[in-house]
Amino acid sequence: MRCPFCQFLDTRVSDTRVVNDGRCIKRRRECPNCLKRFTTFEKTEEIPLVVVKKDGRREQFNSQKILNGLIKSFEKRTISMDEILVIVGDIEQSIRQKYEREVSSDVIGEIVMQQLINIDQVAYVRFASVYRQFADVNNFMQEIQKLAKQ
């Protein structure tokens, strides 16, 4: 593995851990040339999954978009980045188990909301307000009332 700092070709693995319930391997590496450390992740290559957007466009599935949405939803909440990454991994695994080639963006949004409602209700409402594009306060209040009844 090439060092991202000095481009030296032969780095050393100092620690290896299995993460995301065995779906990924995290390796801590050190460069013998510049002595800097960095982390790499190894995971199986997935069959490309295509997301069908609301307007009919198609694009390749990108879990980074889910991660970005969750980071915004959990802003100022007591949840670690590692926990958020586990949630993203669970969501991606759920999508890939149910959908082989194509999935609609609506389905992805609903799966994310199902995860959030059980983890953090504030994050759920934040995500829902963007995902469902609440037009006014009444829509927002209806969602909160549904949440309160559960």
Side-chain angles (χ1 to χ4, degrees), residues 41-92:
F41 291 90
E42 181 180 318
K43 70 180 202 174
T44 57
E45 189 172 353
E46 304 282 346
I47 296 171
L49 180 64
V50 174
V51 177
V52 181
K53 308 295 268 183
K54 291 178 184 177
D55 64 2
R57 288 181 298 118
R58 286 173 162 68
E59 64 181 47
Q60 190 166 347
F61 175 80
N62 182 355
S63 62
Q64 184 67 42
K65 290 185 175 187
I66 295 172
L67 177 62
N68 293 341
L70 291 181
I71 288 171
K72 289 176 187 172
S73 297
F74 283 114
E75 191 172 317
K76 297 184 181 178
R77 304 298 295 162
T78 57
I79 188 164
S80 72
M81 187 56 146
D82 286 341
E83 290 172 302
I84 293 172
L85 290 171
V86 168
I87 295 167
V88 171
D90 291 345
I91 291 168
E92 183 173 0

Side-chain angles (χ1 to χ4, degrees), residues 12-24:
R12 180 178 74 79
V13 175
S14 60
D15 184 40
T16 300
R17 294 183 186 186
V18 176
V19 293
N20 289 342
D21 295 329
R23 295 187 303 256
C24 190

Side-chain angles (χ1 to χ4, degrees), residues 5-137:
F5 303 105
C6 72
Q7 306 305 310
F8 190 70
L9 284 174
D10 191 24
T11 59
R12 180 178 74 79
V13 175
S14 60
D15 184 40
T16 300
R17 294 183 186 186
V18 176
V19 293
N20 289 342
D21 295 329
R23 295 187 303 256
C24 190
I25 296 175
K26 178 180 178 180
R27 298 190 196 281
R28 193 74 181 134
R29 297 176 177 270
E30 184 176 348
C31 176
N33 187 47
C34 68
L35 301 178
K36 291 191 178 182
R37 295 182 181 182
F38 60 99
T39 302
T40 60
F41 291 90
E42 181 180 318
K43 70 180 202 174
T44 57
E45 189 172 353
E46 304 282 346
I47 296 171
L49 180 64
V50 174
V51 177
V52 181
K53 308 295 268 183
K54 291 178 184 177
D55 64 2
R57 288 181 298 118
R58 286 173 162 68
E59 64 181 47
Q60 190 166 347
F61 175 80
N62 182 355
S63 62
Q64 184 67 42
K65 290 185 175 187
I66 295 172
L67 177 62
N68 293 341
L70 291 181
I71 288 171
K72 289 176 187 172
S73 297
F74 283 114
E75 191 172 317
K76 297 184 181 178
R77 304 298 295 162
T78 57
I79 188 164
S80 72
M81 187 56 146
D82 286 341
E83 290 172 302
I84 293 172
L85 290 171
V86 168
I87 295 167
V88 171
D90 291 345
I91 291 168
E92 183 173 0
Q93 182 181 15
S94 175
I95 292 167
R96 289 190 182 277
Q97 283 177 347
K98 294 177 187 170
Y99 303 92
E100 193 171 312
R101 300 261 184 237
E102 288 188 345
V103 61
S104 76
S105 58
D106 289 336
V107 168
I108 293 172
E110 292 300 324
I111 291 171
V112 171
M113 288 182 35
Q114 287 171 2
Q115 287 281 327
L116 287 178
I117 200 165
N118 298 321
I119 297 167
D120 187 308
Q121 293 180 341
V122 172
Y124 168 83
V125 171
R126 286 177 177 170
F127 186 87
S129 69
V130 173
Y131 170 68
R132 293 219 169 112
Q133 299 175 341
F134 294 147
D136 56 31
V137 175

